[in-house]
Amino acid sequence: MISVKLDNVGLAYRLYEKLTLTAPDRRLGGLGGKIGRSGGKQVVQALEDVSFELKAGDRLGLVGPNGAGKTTLLKVLYGIYQPSAGTVAIEGKVDALFNINIGFRPEATGRRNIVLRGLISGWTEAEIQEKMPEIIAFSELGDFIDVPFKTYSQGMAARLAFSAATALDPEILLMDEWIGAGDATFQEKAKRRMDELAEKAGIIVLASHNESLLESVCTKRMTLKNGRVESLTTKPAKRVGARAKS
Amino acid sequence: MRLHRVWIALAHEDIGDQHRRTTLGPLWLLVNYLLFIGTFIFVFKTKDTDSAGYTAYASIGLVVWFYLMEMISLSVPLFSREGSFIQGTRLPLFVYVMRLTVQCIIRAAYSVAGCIVILLLSGLGISMEWLLSIPGLLLIVLATPAIVTVFAFLGAFFPDAQFIVGNIMRVGTFLTPVFWAYHGQGGIQNYAYHWNPFTYFLEVVRAPIASGEFPMHPFIVTAYISLAFWAIALLLLGRYRKRVVFLI
Ligand SMILES: Nc1ncnc2c1ncn2[C@@H]1O[C@H](COP(=O)(O)OP(=O)(O)O)[C@@H](O)[C@H]1O
Ligand SMILES: [Mg+2]
């Protein structure tokens, strides 16, 4: 059963943990998380007491100002960051898209990059070759697929990244606020693919400032502020139905 | 997990990138090695050094030294260089360590090829004793992932290490018996020979070819150093693996 459950999750970034010969610079701006102290060390409390539960078919939109903790929360869900408090329980195969360029090598072609990205995500050679035509078709990159990745525009890179990440039907898909990079037609396609994914009873967690995207993709909405959950709402069911017609 | 595929593919790309950007590609590594060794053999020629024995001594010493120097200097900034991968994927840190290991071995192959050509041209004469270098080479290769891990953690937790290690390695080229031989001199050379861990890494490969005997003592010392690095590397990976992502 695919599910995500967080209980009182907290994450503190410790500042100046590195050892250095020079005196550390202690100036800090006021945006975002709370800067506090713990055991004589300065910490940024990026997440505090975050609890929620997602079931198969849920599509959660994460909103909140810059520095609210959206990216940090996605990275905790993906398992890159170990939370400093609370528990995370995840059932299902997770794939994530944080940054378009992650896992892509500028000198290699789009095709070779799909292979690398697949290997990094733990796919087998056979799975990659099987999905290759579909990934290329979905990305609509055409002949550019055999051109080095460094010649791609941000939008083209986004197409490739999204196509590759969603090709193997991840059960849980995490996306950070980058999807706006593709053009309108691609965003439409991406939305449709996310709908399909959710219909197959997957879970999507999407951080975005794009209201219309959140509106059309998500069934739940969580507002983060200073690392705390400010509100968690479930959209009325008719909204979800309306999506199918568009 | 099929992780070995990941690091082999990535190392393959690293080498391929060098090919794509330059005409000679990794052959530059060979050119670099030949230039360096040629300078020593032909320019700094003295009565002592004008022999097949010295040519073999210096050319093998330089292969191993280049390998160690490159491996250590590339290890220190390893985690910050791989920062976008470490912060964006769940690949274990060991993948990056192995990627660098494979890359270093492939690069070393070019200077090893150059070294073999020099040995053949030097008129030393091939002998079966050369095979006694193989255990030493294997030992160094086996120690590589551990050494890379230790220096990569050092670089992550202590960013100044990059400059300190860089300086030590530059000075090490002269303090290590790469080009000079130890014949029981006293003073600095005595310490630079006996108290220098690099000496033993060089000797395990060099002694069988340069003097035709198996270097038991250097082999044992190198084995102990390698075991110590493995113990520290496993400890670091076990205890601090999850902290690295917060440091880069
Ligand atoms: N690597 C880091 N080290 C220290 N603080 C960080 C780090 N990454 C993020 N933060 C802090 O954590 C808070 C939340 O950041 P983030 O999750 O990136 O916010 P969002 O994605 O919502 O804009 C911010 O205050 C930010 O300054
Ligand atoms: Mg963010």
Side-chain angles (χ1 to χ4, degrees), chain A residues 36-70:
Chain A
R37 304 195 137 262
S38 126
K41 291 217 174 191
Q42 261 185 308
V43 296
V44 174
Q45 193 69 41
L47 292 176
E48 208 171 350
D49 257 343
V50 176
S51 305
F52 63 89
E53 205 170 332
L54 299 174
K55 295 184 304 292
D58 280 347
R59 282 165 281 172
L60 176 69
L62 284 180
V63 289
N66 290 327
K70 305 182 292 296

Side-chain angles (χ1 to χ4, degrees), chain A residues 183-198:
Chain A
D183 55 25
T185 30
F186 188 71
Q187 291 217 13
E188 246 336 289
K189 263 180 101 165
K191 272 183 215 170
R192 250 178 289 133
R193 175 156 285 190
M194 287 191 271
D195 285 343
E196 280 166 31
L197 204 86

Side-chain angles (χ1 to χ4, degrees), chain A residues 125-144:
Chain A
E125 201 80 43
E127 280 171 329
I128 297 170
Q129 291 313 329
E130 190 194 318
K131 289 286 174 180
M132 184 70 82
E134 191 198 315
I135 297 173
I136 297 173
F138 191 85
S139 70
E140 293 173 0
L141 285 171
D143 292 341
F144 274 95

Side-chain angles (χ1 to χ4, degrees), chain A residues 13-15 31-34 44-46 64-73 81 176-177 209 224, chain B residues 87 245-246 248:
Chain A
Y13 289 106
R14 280 192 247 168
L15 301 177
L31 255 185
K34 276 177 287 182
V44 174
Q45 193 69 41
N66 290 327
K70 305 182 292 296
T71 302
T72 306
L73 177 57
Y81 290 157
D176 208 351
E177 38 183 321
H209 294 295
L224 280 175
Chain B
Q87 292 183 322
V245 67
F246 293 111
I248 45 182

Side-chain angles (χ1 to χ4, degrees), chain B residues 26-168:
Chain B
L27 286 179
W28 279 117
L29 301 169
L30 177 60
V31 172
N32 183 28
Y33 171 77
L34 291 177
L35 272 179
F36 221 91
I37 198 69
T39 309
F40 262 89
I41 293 172
F42 299 111
V43 181
F44 292 100
K45 193 163 164 175
T46 65
K47 262 209 290 306
D48 295 344
T49 67
D50 193 13
S51 70
Y54 178 77
T55 305
Y57 185 88
S59 53
I60 298 165
L62 192 65
V63 166
V64 181
W65 176 253
F66 266 13
Y67 177 79
L68 295 173
M69 184 161 79
E70 194 172 79
M71 180 229 313
I72 292 175
S73 330
L74 290 174
S75 301
V76 177
L78 176 66
F79 291 152
S80 64
R81 207 170 48 237
E82 301 278 14
S84 84
F85 271 73
I86 294 176
Q87 292 183 322
T89 69
R90 280 175 303 186
L91 289 176
L93 294 178
F94 204 61
V95 167
Y96 310 111
V97 169
M98 289 313 292
R99 171 189 188 173
L100 183 59
T101 302
V102 172
Q103 202 188 342
C104 286
I105 292 171
I106 294 175
R107 289 165 71 98
Y110 289 88
S111 37
V112 168
C115 180
I116 290 174
V117 171
I118 291 178
L119 288 179
L120 294 178
L121 293 179
S122 72
L124 190 67
I126 310 174
S127 74
M128 287 306 280
E129 267 89 57
W130 288 21
L131 295 178
L132 294 176
S133 285
I134 292 174
L137 276 177
L138 281 180
L139 191 56
I140 294 177
V141 168
L142 286 178
T144 301
I147 300 176
V148 170
T149 306
V150 172
F151 280 97
F153 271 94
L154 180 72
F157 281 88
F158 186 50
D160 294 302
Q162 188 170 351
F163 303 101
I164 298 170
V165 170
N167 276 320
I168 291 176

